[in-house]
Amino acid sequence: MEFASPGTVSTMMRTCRTLYQEAHGPHLLLREGITLSRDRQIISFYSFMLANPPGRFRFLHALTLSKGNFSDTAVDTLANLLDHPDLHLESLVLHDAEEVLRSSVLLFETDGYPYTGVPLTSAIASLTTVRHLEMDGLDECAYALLEIFPPGLVSVVLMLDSLITQWSAPARPEEYNPIVLLAQQADTLEVLEGSGFDADPDNVRYDVVYPRMRRITVRHARPWRPATVAYVHAFPSLEHFALFGTEDMHAGLAGPHRNPFAERALEMRRSQNREDQMNDGSWQRLRVIEGDVFDVYALGLLCPVPEVRLQGVVFRSTIHYLEAILDDVRPVTLTATILGGCLFEENGEMTSLLRRPEAQCLRELELEVCFEPQEGDTITVDEMMDDIRHAVSPVPLHTLRLTLNHGFLIKTTTFPDHHSLPEDYGLSLHAARRRQKRLDLKVYSDSFLDSMPTLESVVVTLSNDAQAYEYMLSSDGSRSASPSESVGSQGQAEMLQALAELGFGDIRDGEDDGW
């Protein structure tokens, strides 16, 4: 039964009195949470829960509300569900949060003045057991909810990328600053993820400290970057920091047509960050730093960081940023994607970098080397592997994970360091890809082990993913920054169908097609 689908469980509950009345059936139906997005779903689900409140509410730990525009009846029902004394919700997800909260807005007067009442805001603000909150589509009501949400949250995911946020953020950056937004949760918050954040780069100290915050994964929405020391002050115990910028922030920083103004702005932000840290100190517990090479470079860190994960491609023209990062934090583990096998030649930029003193701290190296499009007719994998082996041999590595990516050979897009493709590109591409398939990767792995006595583990793989820099590291902190739904759409459809089959309304009917 533990592996049965909701549909199977509902079928058995209709024929098995014990499964229907006892706790095991509701536990199987509710264990992964529930998503409600339509009036009939809300009414049907509440009826199901009221059939045996003590035996069912105790299994409902995760709830997702989406779409909004609920009727007055559905809003009243949902408010009753949220206010039920047997409900002990731990995770709440609000997709299209503003639309959900503005359902059935009440207009009334007090002492002759008009007021607006939002019933769902009050009901949600009464949930004192919630430890995980996830919201997207925020506007006025959603921001008001954040201000009054009961303290005690441990993890928060906020996607502030709504059109309203994008329109208003330049004039009011601090209103989208996570340090300010979540001050109510400062004592307990440990994990923060999200996008569309903003900050005034001139503010370096706030009146709030998050003593337990250990992991942050944020994507900023504006071309300017936050002050490093502001995050150091607000999150002194941080262990994992993933900071991602926008294309606007990275424009003009790579390729033959670099923008001197963009480069100067980047250098000024880095210089100011380093000066602030010299005066006020830096992190003491930071273990992982993650982001694009420009974002990590701009932080100008003055503290050792054992692991650096770089998202995006490192080009020939941006190797010097990587070199500065290694000098800043002296990592033990490095993950990066490099475009161009030629960078590992005898006098190549990566070869020079790996021979520098700051690279000798590395013990674990995860590299993805992507062939440039113009290398399709000249690439010799044996020679390139020899170059890579000689390039990394001075580093006392214990672990090496190397991926050879020929996916870019099929790309005709112009890269920042890429010039025109050869006329016989199609024929040479076919020959190059055919050669890749004949490679004996174990031979290459053994050659690394034989030539580098410190190595304990070597893994060499092939890839044809043209978007290597996207799958290597995703922005969730761990490996992605976008929020995930509590339950997949297929599982939710089965769940709601199961409730309908148990006699609590045909939630599949109605004008709204749902998912």
Side-chain angles (χ1 to χ4, degrees):
M1 289 298 295
E2 291 295 329
F3 302 99
S5 68
T8 301
V9 174
S10 70
T11 300
M12 298 187 68
M13 287 179 69
R14 283 185 294 166
T15 58
C16 177
R17 183 184 303 272
T18 301
L19 193 60
Y20 179 81
Q21 294 180 343
E22 299 300 327
H24 197 51
H27 164 68
L28 293 175
L29 285 176
L30 302 174
R31 58 185 170 177
E32 293 183 347
I34 185 72
T35 294
L36 303 175
S37 62
R38 289 183 288 168
D39 293 349
R40 292 193 178 189
Q41 292 175 355
I42 294 170
I43 296 169
S44 172
F45 180 68
Y46 189 52
S47 298
F48 171 78
M49 298 299 288
L50 288 183
N52 182 10
R56 295 183 178 181
F57 272 98
R58 63 192 176 108
F59 297 119
L60 181 59
H61 302 300
L63 176 64
T64 297
L65 303 176
S66 65
K67 296 188 178 180
N69 296 314
F70 303 135
S71 67
D72 291 349
T73 301
V75 169
D76 290 341
T77 303
L78 187 55
N80 290 333
L81 172 70
L82 297 174
D83 289 335
H84 199 281
D86 291 326
L87 179 65
H88 299 285
L89 208 60
E90 297 177 3
S91 174
L92 177 64
V93 179
L94 300 179
H95 291 311
D96 311 304
E98 196 67 21
E99 296 297 326
V100 170
L101 295 174
R102 282 191 176 275
S103 298
S104 187
V105 173
L106 303 178
L107 300 177
F108 57 93
E109 288 189 3
T110 301
D111 298 329
Y113 294 95
Y115 281 85
T116 300
V118 187
L120 288 183
T121 297
S122 301
I124 292 173
S126 67
L127 298 173
T128 60
T129 60
V130 173
R131 295 296 174 260
H132 170 76
L133 177 65
E134 186 172 322
M135 301 172 66
D136 60 43
L138 285 76
D139 197 13
E140 183 179 356
C141 291
Y143 287 110
L145 174 62
L146 284 177
E147 292 181 0
I148 64 174
F149 203 91
L153 291 176
V154 175
S155 64
V156 171
V157 178
L158 296 178
M159 313 305 289
L160 309 182
D161 307 272
S162 69
L163 292 177
I164 295 177
T165 298
Q166 295 176 17
W167 175 81
S168 58
R172 300 176 295 166
E174 288 301 289
E175 294 189 16
Y176 308 98
N177 186 339
I179 300 174
V180 177
L181 271 178
L182 299 168
Q184 182 86 348
Q185 313 298 330
D187 291 338
T188 58
L189 199 59
E190 298 180 12
V191 179
L192 170 64
E193 300 176 11
S195 62
F197 290 115
D198 209 346
D200 184 344
D202 294 328
N203 285 350
V204 297
R205 187 180 292 273
Y206 296 85
D207 294 333
V208 58
V209 175
Y210 296 72
R212 302 183 64 178
M213 183 72 76
R214 56 183 177 82
R215 186 188 189 98
I216 294 178
T217 303
V218 294
R219 185 176 296 276
H220 277 251
R222 299 297 141 195
W224 51 79
R225 293 170 170 85
T228 301
V229 76
Y231 273 58
V232 173
H233 290 155
F235 313 113
S237 302
L238 196 64
E239 298 177 2
H240 186 137
F241 187 27
L243 175 67
F244 302 96
T246 64
E247 291 184 4
D248 291 340
M249 296 171 71
H250 302 155
L253 294 173
H257 305 295
R258 295 191 292 275
N259 184 332
F261 295 102
E263 292 181 321
R264 190 175 302 117
L266 178 66
E267 294 298 336
M268 289 176 63
R269 171 47 52 196
R270 172 181 166 84
S271 177
Q272 186 62 56
N273 282 335
R274 293 177 70 82
E275 181 179 344
D276 290 340
Q277 290 174 85
M278 284 189 285
N279 294 332
D280 299 332
S282 189
W283 282 296
Q284 302 298 315
R285 302 181 183 178
L286 194 62
R287 297 185 299 104
V288 180
I289 185 69
E290 182 178 349
D292 194 282
V293 64
F294 307 115
D295 302 315
V296 178
Y297 175 80
L299 290 173
L301 294 174
L302 294 181
C303 60
V305 182
E307 183 172 357
V308 173
R309 302 177 185 173
L310 296 181
Q311 185 188 53
V313 171
V314 177
F315 303 99
R316 181 194 300 271
S317 60
T318 58
I319 289 289
H320 65 286
Y321 294 131
L322 174 57
E323 180 180 309
I325 292 169
L326 295 184
D327 191 37
D328 287 346
V329 301
R330 303 295 174 109
V332 176
T333 300
L334 172 66
T335 300
T337 301
I338 310 297
L339 180 64
C342 60
L343 301 184
F344 293 88
E345 293 176 352
E346 178 61 28
N347 296 317
E349 287 81 353
M350 278 300 296
T351 301
S352 300
L353 182 148
L354 291 171
R355 290 174 179 171
R356 293 182 60 85
E358 54 267 28
Q360 306 313 304
C361 298
L362 293 172
R363 296 297 179 267
E364 183 173 345
L365 183 61
E366 182 172 346
L367 281 181
E368 181 148 11
V369 181
C370 303
F371 303 135
E372 290 187 277
Q374 67 268 29
E375 291 178 325
D377 59 339
T378 60
I379 190 69
T380 302
V381 177
D382 287 341
E383 293 179 354
M384 194 189 75
M385 291 299 294
D386 284 340
D387 289 340
I388 295 176
R389 186 172 64 252
H390 287 122
V392 302
S393 60
V395 185
L397 295 174
H398 295 163
T399 302
L400 173 64
R401 289 185 291 274
L402 176 64
T403 299
L404 302 179
N405 190 320
H406 56 88
F408 288 146
L409 291 176
I410 66 173
K411 298 286 283 184
T412 58
T413 305
T414 299
F415 289 93
D417 289 345
H418 171 233
H419 305 291
S420 59
L421 294 173
E423 294 182 0
D424 60 345
Y425 176 70
L427 293 176
S428 61
L429 166 62
H430 179 73
R433 296 191 66 191
R434 192 172 54 213
R435 289 195 296 269
Q436 308 301 320
K437 295 180 180 179
R438 297 198 299 264
L439 293 178
D440 187 347
L441 300 180
K442 187 177 185 305
V443 171
Y444 296 123
S445 299
D446 291 342
S447 67
F448 279 99
L449 288 170
D450 293 340
S451 61
M452 299 178 65
T454 60
L455 272 179
E456 300 172 0
S457 174
V458 179
V459 177
V460 180
T461 59
L462 273 181
S463 170
N464 63 356
D465 189 341
Q467 302 296 330
Y469 56 95
E470 292 183 359
Y471 83 74
M472 281 282 292
L473 297 171
S474 57
S475 64
D476 165 50
S478 55
R479 293 201 166 202
S480 170
S482 59
S484 59
E485 294 187 2
S486 300
V487 183
S489 58
Q490 181 178 357
Q492 276 300 311
E494 289 184 348
M495 156 69 79
L496 296 170
Q497 178 182 347
L499 298 181
E501 291 174 351
L502 289 171
F504 296 103
D506 187 357
I507 53 180
R508 292 165 294 175
D509 294 340
E511 297 179 358
D512 188 353
D513 291 332
W515 321 103

